[in-house]
Amino acid sequence: MSRFFSDRFASLTAYVPGEQPQDQQYVKLNTNESPYPPSPRTRSAVSDAELARLNLYPDPTGMRLRNTLAAHYGVKPTNVLLANGSDEILSFAFMAFCDAQTPAVFPDISYGFYPVYAALYGVGANIIPLREDFSMDVDALCAAPGMCVLANPNAPTGMALPRAAIERILLSNPNRVVLVDEAYVDFGAETALPLLAEHDNLLIARTYSKSRSMAGARLGFAFGSEALIADLETIRFSTNPYNLNRLTLLLGEAAVVDDAYYAQNCKRIAATRESAAARLTSLGFTLTESKANFLFARHPAIPGEALYSGLKARGVLVRHFNKPRIAEYVRITIGTPEQMDVLYAAIEDILKGGAPCAKQP
Ligand SMILES: *Cc1c(COP(=O)(O)O)cnc(C)c1O
């Protein structure tokens, strides 16, 4: 730390993203990206003529993409916010709706960025433990004051709440924001979107990073009441009005047009998830019931850390969180069936007590 760093951040612990090795030597099942490429239309959306216009700033309102998303999801453009990944949506929401008197309320086991934003913005974190089986304590969430932040499905468990539970939390206190982070909703959970018209305290965060194969483009969006979105626009225009570059805006539109392609991929991934769950269960693993594009698994014979490093030595990257309650687990992103076969072979080798052989290509 330099002597110039503000005291405000002296004890800030930054978010640590999953490993992003820049060579191709791993089967990469560690950061919940799609194993499938963006659709053909998305890949041809950026023409040479568009590249030649990079001398010009993008539309700071992102109106074309907001109109496209609004029409696709049946809301008004004024109900849609665009951001540089859904992480930026979260950042804006913590900045806009939390303060010293209004903490953020979130589960002890959830997305690792929530406590980081709470610390960054100097707001309280009102942490509600998940139950023993990792299910949400909805009553406790209803009773806790502050902006409620829920990933649904939750990460890293993949477990989902029904819409009725979200509605109960919304109704428990209409005078606080409930932020539902739907990063993984397209893989089989219920969206809170139909609740939007009736609940002006609902904010839904979505991303192109998981189901739409565009983690590298950095595009997130949110749905909320007109007033909530206007507040977030005030924060956005006070931070970076050009938070979305021209190319990403174009990619975003093309991906909505190609929705059927992405919906098909989600189906394939959900089917692979179900067969992977069965296979891992037969290998002795215990799993949470995931509705996302990953599984959360522990094996009685191998500690989580050893499983992570044993797999890495065999060319397969998964995610391990060295945290209370979940240190025995690994989170495994659902890859293609071929990638999953490499995973099963590596696990079988570890279970046999084999020494790691040469890494898989
Ligand atoms: C991946 C993820 C995000 C962030 O996605 P980006 O749009 O890539 O910033 C947000 N929330 C959860 C729960 C995630 O897993």
Side-chain angles (χ1 to χ4, degrees):
M1 195 191 309
S2 79
R3 66 184 189 283
F4 308 108
F5 201 38
S6 168
D7 290 342
R8 279 182 297 153
F9 304 122
S11 61
L12 181 65
T13 307
Y15 179 73
V16 182
E19 295 161 271
Q20 303 294 356
Q22 294 305 305
D23 50 35
Q24 296 288 309
Q25 65 175 322
Y26 289 101
V27 172
K28 196 169 178 304
L29 306 178
N30 69 330
T31 50
N32 296 345
E33 293 134 318
S34 174
Y36 302 112
S39 71
R41 201 186 313 249
T42 318
R43 289 159 76 178
S44 57
V46 175
S47 64
D48 197 53
E50 293 295 347
L51 287 172
R53 278 193 276 274
L54 280 178
N55 56 315
L56 303 176
Y57 279 109
D59 171 11
T61 71
M63 198 41 86
R64 284 187 51 139
L65 178 54
R66 281 169 69 201
N67 286 338
T68 304
L69 286 168
H72 183 76
Y73 286 103
V75 298
K76 287 187 285 181
T78 44
N79 297 124
V80 181
L81 179 85
L82 302 177
N84 195 295
S86 58
D87 285 340
E88 196 176 55
I89 304 271
L90 303 175
S91 170
F92 291 164
F94 275 72
M95 225 190 294
F97 305 122
C98 297
D99 53 36
Q101 285 73 44
T102 310
V105 180
F106 50 86
D108 60 339
I109 298 165
S110 194
Y111 186 38
F113 232 131
Y114 305 152
V116 176
Y117 283 132
L120 176 65
Y121 296 124
V123 305
N126 191 353
I127 296 173
I128 308 296
L130 295 183
R131 294 204 194 87
E132 194 62 32
D133 64 356
F134 296 148
S135 62
M136 292 265 177
D137 189 342
V138 175
D139 291 329
L141 291 166
C142 286
M147 178 177 80
C148 188
V149 187
L150 293 178
N152 194 36
N154 197 14
T157 65
M159 291 162 64
L161 280 180
R163 188 182 299 135
I166 302 289
E167 183 159 36
R168 197 144 71 79
I169 298 167
L170 286 162
L171 288 169
S172 70
N173 180 358
N175 294 319
R176 54 99 170 255
V177 171
V178 178
L179 168 51
V180 184
D181 180 347
E182 294 192 340
Y184 300 105
V185 77
D186 295 327
F187 300 102
E190 267 182 4
T191 176
L193 193 55
L195 302 173
L196 198 65
E198 295 290 314
H199 300 274
D200 67 359
N201 57 332
L202 171 62
L203 183 65
I204 300 172
R206 296 279 190 99
T207 177
Y208 278 65
S209 296
K210 316 285 165 51
S211 58
R212 286 195 165 109
S213 302
M214 251 185 276
R218 311 306 303 128
L219 182 54
F221 55 107
F223 300 118
S225 67
E226 239 170 78
L228 279 189
I229 297 298
D231 293 343
L232 293 168
E233 287 288 22
T234 300
I235 300 291
R236 189 175 72 85
F237 273 87
S238 307
T239 311
N240 180 8
Y242 300 117
N243 58 335
L244 286 172
N245 69 72
R246 300 181 72 94
L247 309 183
T248 293
L249 286 168
L250 289 169
L251 296 171
E253 271 186 66
V256 178
V257 174
D258 268 347
D259 190 61
Y261 168 88
Y262 295 103
Q264 182 65 24
N265 282 348
C266 289
K267 271 198 191 152
R268 285 155 86 185
I269 289 166
T272 310
R273 177 187 70 213
E274 295 313 306
S275 62
R279 182 70 179 261
L280 293 175
T281 302
S282 76
L283 290 168
F285 282 87
T286 307
L287 306 168
T288 54
E289 195 192 326
S290 175
K291 296 279 183 222
N293 67 338
F294 54 82
L295 291 171
F296 197 51
R298 64 180 289 176
H299 196 281
I302 328 165
E305 176 97 57
L307 189 55
Y308 159 80
S309 48
L311 287 171
K312 188 172 181 182
R314 288 165 179 80
V316 181
L317 276 186
V318 298
R319 192 90 193 259
H320 174 253
F321 300 96
N322 196 8
K323 284 192 192 164
R325 299 186 70 187
I326 57 171
E328 293 313 310
Y329 285 80
V330 293
R331 190 195 67 192
I332 304 169
T333 303
I334 302 302
T336 61
E338 296 72 28
Q339 290 177 314
M340 300 310 281
D341 285 341
V342 177
L343 169 80
Y344 308 141
I347 289 172
E348 281 166 356
D349 194 50
I350 292 169
L351 289 173
K352 275 190 311 209
C357 51
K359 281 175 185 170
Q360 303 287 335

